[in-house]
Amino acid sequence: MTQNNLLSRISIDSNICFGKPCIRGHRIWVSLILDFLASGMTLEELLEEYPRIEREDIFACIVYRRDRNDRSQC
């Protein structure tokens, strides 16, 4: 799956979750997923906790953050 395909899984809508980046079709913030990963939660634990999201959604959160960091360093 390409970076663009992954990023298409992230949605920003000012009417949903205060405009925070979310997994498309869900009200799960990118920052929430990243915080769980940073605290040591595994992909499998996240998928068990949130059974409606897919592994690629988690990868999309990671790519989204990396892409935002790369842009801020320019």
Side-chain angles (χ1 to χ4, degrees), residues 24-42:
R24 185 172 300 284
H26 303 279
R27 292 177 180 260
I28 301 170
W29 299 346
V30 168
S31 60
L32 178 68
I33 297 298
L34 295 174
D35 287 347
F36 281 139
L37 290 171
S39 72
M41 195 174 228
T42 66

